[in-house]
């Protein structure tokens, strides 16, 4: 098994204001291929900045990023190669969708990879079908709902077949129905073996979905580990303005009251907790 | 959505080949302007009206309202051609005002009507195109006829950003209204100025974010996108050729007359 991290960050520093303050402040991290990693932390903790560094939009002032063991090459050619492998879906789809038609929008990325028009057409059609965009494929982008815009922005990246997909708060400003739909798409991505990095404030979703959680605080990795390790560390959660997931709070409370046996493995979702109660 | 943009997405002629619609509109407009014939202008007005309302399914009252916009402007501007102030009355009409006449001749009356109808028919050609063809299809036609890439790309981005900035301006305006920002002329002017400056800042920020997102998708300085294909239909081409042929013959005949 290949244990080389697909992405590695080594002591990164990045500043938006001429090194007066740092959005990334000695940030180090390793991510293995095929993992689902949730990035959590207070606003301004450096999540989005790190994501932009991963895609080569920002270049850290110090430190090195590695993709598959190779340090980032910031030449034009190197960046094009990197961006074909590391795709980013921005938080606000209106910052991503530049074209007036859904079809044109989705075709942009794949054509930039230099594939033939015929191949690009096939890929665009496939991704339209896969993400269930067909009902609104003929609509102009400005007439789409928030959820539909998000679907199109995911399709924009998926069509390029990246190895890593970065989602910057994909459920931000979405209603519950569209949040479920986006989560379904994200689950599909991970089933396809794509490494998914996602920033989110939803601790319940992160506990159930993620293989690893990265807690960020003031531009540094405060904690990196399994969801259960991270979400049971109340001190770290408090530092990053996060609360324990509801299912863990309820489990702890039921254990304290002697209703459940505290030796049971920690539940990662409500279904597991429900089965514990049923088997009492 | 802007009404005219919304209508073209609901038009039944939306999926007709864009190059066919473009060619029809431009050639018809050209013949109208060159011939300056009353009969041709009336024919074009009728055909475009039928195509847009009956074939395209655009509601008649909307089409009528849009046609009234240039008509009002044309009538006002043509008055200068029709009406003269003279010491001697002309043959069509004359109203005496002191020693002068507000008067007009049959020739100038005819010229005025001819100008109005020609301009209206030309506008109807452009309406036919814009009511039945989404902007993206028009841009793809411009690309095919080798309009400079830079111009087409700029038009694409401007078109997208019109809606984005309109959305922002509506939100700001609503928020200003909710805080009595448009209570009177003074506050309205102040609010409008504030909105304009915020819009400029937002537009700059949005353009920066958009550029980042395009860079993230390997943007290399050229906006390469695919267009949806709606192949031309031989029946439609046949009728366009027949109609434009008739207009050509009529134009040549009217010039030789």
């Amino acid at each position: 098994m290949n244990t080389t991290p697909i992405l590695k960050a080594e002591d990164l520093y990045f500043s938006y204001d001429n090194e007066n303050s740092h959005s990334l402040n000695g940030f180090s991290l390793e991510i293995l291929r095929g993992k689902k990693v949730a990035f959590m932390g207070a606003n301004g903790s450096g999540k989005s900045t790190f994501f932009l560094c991963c895609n080569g939009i920002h270049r850290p002032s110090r430190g090195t990023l590695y993709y598959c063991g190779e340090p980032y090459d910031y030449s034009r050619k190197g960046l094009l190669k990197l961006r074909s492998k590391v795709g980013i879906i921005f938080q606000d789809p209106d910052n991503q969708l530049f074209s007036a038609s859904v079809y044109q929008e989705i075709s942009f990325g794949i054509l930039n990879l230099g594939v033939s028009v015929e191949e690009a057409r096939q890929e665009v059609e496939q991704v339209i079908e896969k993400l269930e965009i067909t009902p609104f494929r003929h609509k102009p982008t400005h007439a789409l709902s928030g959820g539909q815009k998000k679907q199109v922005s995911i399709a924009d990246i998926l069509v390029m077949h990246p190895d890593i997909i970065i989602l910057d708060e994909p459920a931000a400003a979405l209603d519950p129905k569209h949040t479920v739909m986006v989560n379904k798409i994200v689950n599909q991505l991970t089933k396809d073996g794509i490494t998914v990095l996602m920033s989110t404030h939803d601790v319940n979703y992160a506990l159930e979905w993620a293989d690893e959680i990265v807690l960020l605080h003031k531009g540094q990795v405060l904690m990196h580990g399994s969801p259960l390790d991270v979400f049971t560390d109340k001190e770290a959660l408090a530092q990053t303005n996060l609360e324990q997931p509801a299912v863990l709070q309820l489990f702890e409370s039921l254990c304290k009251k002697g209703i459940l046996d505290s030796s049971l493995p920690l539940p990662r979702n409500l279904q597991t907790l429900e089965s514990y109660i049923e088997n009492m | 959505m802007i009404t005219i943009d919304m209508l073209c997405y609901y038009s039944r002629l939306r999926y007709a080949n864009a190059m066919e619609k473009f060619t029809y509109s431009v050639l018809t407009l050209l013949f109208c302007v060159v011939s300056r014939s009353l009969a041709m202008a009336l024919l074009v007005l009728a055909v475009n009206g039928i195509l847009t309302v009956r074939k395209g399914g655009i509601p008649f009252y909307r089409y009528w309202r849009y046609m009234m916009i240039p008509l009002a402007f044309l009538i006002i501007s043509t008055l200068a051609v029709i009406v003269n102030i003279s010491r001697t009355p002309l043959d069509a009409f004359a109203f005496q005002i002191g020693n002068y006449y507000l008067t007009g001749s049959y020739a100038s009356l005819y010229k005025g009507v001819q100008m109005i109808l020609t301009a209206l028919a030309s506008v109807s050609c452009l309406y036919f195109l814009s009511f039945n063809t989404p902007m993206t299809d028009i841009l793809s036609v411009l690309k095919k006829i080798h309009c400079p890439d830079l111009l087409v790309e700029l038009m694409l981005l401007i078109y997208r950003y019109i809606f984005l900035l309109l959305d922002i301006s509506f939100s700001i305006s609503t928020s200003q209204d909710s805080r009595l920002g448009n209570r009177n002329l003074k506050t309205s002017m102040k609010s409008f100025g504030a909105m304009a400056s915020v819009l400029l800042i937002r537009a700059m920020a949005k353009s920066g974010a958009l550029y980042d997102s395009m860079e993230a998708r390997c943007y290399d300085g050229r906006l390469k996108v695919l267009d949806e294909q709606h192949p031309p239909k031989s029946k439609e081409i046949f009728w366009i050729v027949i109609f434009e042929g008739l207009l050509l013959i009529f134009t040549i005949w009217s010039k030789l007359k």
Side-chain angles (χ1 to χ4, degrees):
Chain A
M1 191 184 155
N2 184 8
T3 53
T4 309
I6 190 164
L7 200 70
K8 184 179 168 189
E10 209 173 67
D11 203 25
L12 301 184
Y13 284 83
F14 184 85
S15 172
Y16 286 102
D17 55 2
N18 286 328
E19 306 289 320
N20 290 324
S21 64
H22 288 91
S23 298
L24 295 181
N25 198 11
F27 185 101
S28 297
L29 183 71
E30 285 187 7
I31 290 160
L32 295 176
R33 187 179 285 276
K35 292 284 180 192
K36 299 177 272 184
V37 187
F39 285 72
M40 310 191 83
N43 292 334
S45 58
K47 301 183 294 287
S48 298
T49 307
F50 173 63
F51 288 164
L52 291 173
C53 287
C54 289
N55 187 260
I57 298 289
H58 287 338
R59 186 176 185 168
S61 51
R62 270 180 284 166
T64 315
L65 269 158
Y66 299 86
Y67 175 74
C68 291
E70 294 287 320
Y72 271 29
D73 170 9
Y74 288 95
S75 67
R76 189 77 206 149
K77 204 176 152 191
L79 282 176
L80 287 179
K81 196 176 160 196
L82 171 79
R83 287 166 182 165
S84 69
K85 298 290 174 197
V86 182
I88 181 167
I89 294 151
F90 290 81
Q91 185 178 342
D92 181 0
D94 278 333
N95 286 343
Q96 185 173 325
L97 309 183
F98 72 88
S99 183
S101 101
V102 168
Y103 191 80
Q104 284 189 346
E105 178 65 42
I106 298 174
S107 67
F108 176 67
I110 182 108
L111 281 175
N112 286 337
L113 297 182
V115 304
S116 68
V117 169
E118 271 321 300
E119 196 184 330
R121 276 196 198 284
Q122 277 178 13
E123 293 284 353
V124 172
E125 291 295 342
Q126 274 173 20
V127 84
I128 283 176
E129 205 178 310
K130 189 173 179 179
L131 295 195
E132 298 170 18
I133 288 170
T134 314
F136 55 90
R137 65 178 288 171
H138 296 300
K139 273 191 177 181
T141 46
H142 55 262
L144 302 180
S145 70
Q148 289 170 337
K149 280 181 186 170
K150 189 58 91 175
Q151 269 174 279
V152 174
S153 61
I154 295 174
D156 278 353
I157 303 302
L158 206 55
V159 75
M160 296 168 77
H161 298 294
D163 289 339
I164 301 176
I165 288 190
I166 299 168
L167 296 119
D168 196 355
E169 295 189 34
L174 292 185
D175 60 29
K177 184 188 157 199
H178 283 103
T179 306
V180 169
M181 185 199 66
V182 169
N183 291 346
K184 205 174 106 187
I185 295 170
V186 172
N187 289 340
Q188 187 58 47
L189 299 180
T190 47
K191 273 184 197 154
D192 295 344
I194 299 171
T195 309
V196 182
L197 316 185
M198 181 204 287
S199 71
T200 178
H201 294 293
D202 186 345
V203 286
N204 298 305
Y205 178 68
L207 173 68
E208 192 175 350
W209 171 79
D211 295 326
E212 294 171 12
I213 305 280
V214 180
L215 279 190
L216 273 77
H217 183 58
K218 293 181 179 172
Q220 286 180 326
V221 176
L222 182 69
M223 198 173 176
H224 179 194
S226 75
L228 291 175
D229 286 344
V230 172
F231 288 129
T232 47
D233 190 329
K234 288 181 182 171
E235 203 180 313
L237 290 177
Q239 254 187 297
T240 48
N241 296 349
L242 292 172
E243 285 194 349
Q244 216 176 18
V247 69
L248 291 183
Q249 286 185 35
L250 187 58
F251 179 73
E252 200 179 286
S253 170
L254 292 172
C255 288
K256 269 184 191 165
K257 288 174 181 162
I259 298 169
L260 283 179
D261 182 359
S262 56
S263 63
L264 283 167
L266 291 169
R268 284 183 67 171
N269 51 42
L270 282 172
Q271 285 78 16
T272 314
L273 185 61
E274 201 182 345
S275 71
Y276 289 171
I277 296 168
E278 272 175 2
N279 296 332
M280 266 187 344
Chain B
M1 269 173 97
I2 295 172
T3 314
I4 206 161
D5 186 70
M6 185 184 70
L7 288 176
C8 72
Y9 279 97
Y10 292 116
S11 163
R12 288 196 290 263
L13 289 176
R14 179 192 164 180
Y15 297 113
N17 182 270
M19 187 60 100
E20 278 179 21
K21 288 182 278 187
F22 184 82
T23 311
Y24 165 81
S25 303
V26 171
L27 283 181
T28 310
L29 189 150
L30 207 70
F31 288 134
C32 267
V33 173
V34 172
S35 76
R36 299 277 174 106
S37 151
L38 276 180
M40 189 187 282
L42 287 171
L43 175 72
V44 169
L45 271 172
V47 170
N48 282 339
I50 291 166
L51 282 175
T52 310
V53 177
R54 287 287 297 273
K55 281 270 181 191
I58 304 298
F60 177 74
Y61 75 94
R62 281 202 189 274
Y63 186 68
W64 181 255
R65 260 179 47 193
Y66 274 98
M67 287 302 284
M68 284 300 111
I69 300 168
L71 183 66
F73 170 76
L74 283 168
I75 289 173
I76 293 165
S77 53
T78 319
L79 278 179
V81 177
I82 299 173
V83 181
N84 289 296
I85 298 171
S86 162
R87 280 179 184 277
T88 49
L90 298 171
D91 50 358
F93 61 89
F95 303 103
Q96 194 169 9
I97 306 165
N99 291 331
Y100 290 89
Y101 287 94
L102 203 62
T103 183
S105 67
Y106 281 113
S108 63
L109 207 60
Y110 177 81
K111 196 163 185 169
V113 173
Q114 187 189 40
M115 269 173 69
I116 289 174
L117 284 178
T118 306
L120 262 188
S122 308
V123 169
S124 78
C125 294
L126 295 178
Y127 275 167
F128 168 77
L129 187 67
S130 49
F131 277 136
N132 298 298
T133 321
M135 188 63 180
T136 45
D137 291 358
I138 296 176
L139 292 180
S140 72
V141 170
L142 291 178
K143 224 171 191 176
K144 277 181 194 150
I145 60 170
H146 301 290
C147 190
D149 281 347
L150 180 70
L151 207 66
V152 178
E153 287 168 10
L154 267 177
M155 285 164 78
L156 178 77
L157 292 174
I158 289 169
Y159 175 71
R160 168 83 180 106
Y161 267 70
I162 283 172
F163 293 96
L164 215 56
L165 295 178
L166 265 181
D167 270 353
I168 298 172
S169 68
F170 284 146
S171 309
I172 295 172
S173 176
T174 308
S175 122
Q176 288 174 338
D177 281 345
S178 71
R179 287 173 284 159
L180 305 177
N182 293 311
R183 194 159 46 100
N184 52 37
L185 185 68
K186 194 179 166 189
T187 54
S188 294
M189 285 174 76
K190 203 174 164 191
S191 296
F192 182 79
M195 183 175 77
S197 62
V198 169
L199 263 185
L200 179 73
I201 294 164
R202 294 269 185 100
M204 299 286 280
K206 285 262 174 207
S207 68
L210 179 83
Y211 186 75
D212 282 350
S213 92
M214 285 162 66
E215 282 268 285
R217 284 185 281 163
C218 306
Y219 175 58
D220 63 354
R222 273 192 62 216
L223 280 180
K224 286 174 275 192
V225 287
L226 289 177
D227 295 310
E228 295 229 55
Q229 289 174 316
H230 306 295
K233 290 182 182 150
S234 47
K235 192 179 154 194
E236 287 164 359
I237 295 175
F238 171 79
W239 284 112
I240 290 171
V241 170
I242 294 287
F243 185 70
E244 298 305 330
L246 276 174
L247 293 189
L248 176 68
I249 292 166
F250 193 83
T251 305
I252 294 169
W253 176 76
S254 65
K255 287 287 152 191
L256 292 176
K257 200 170 57 166

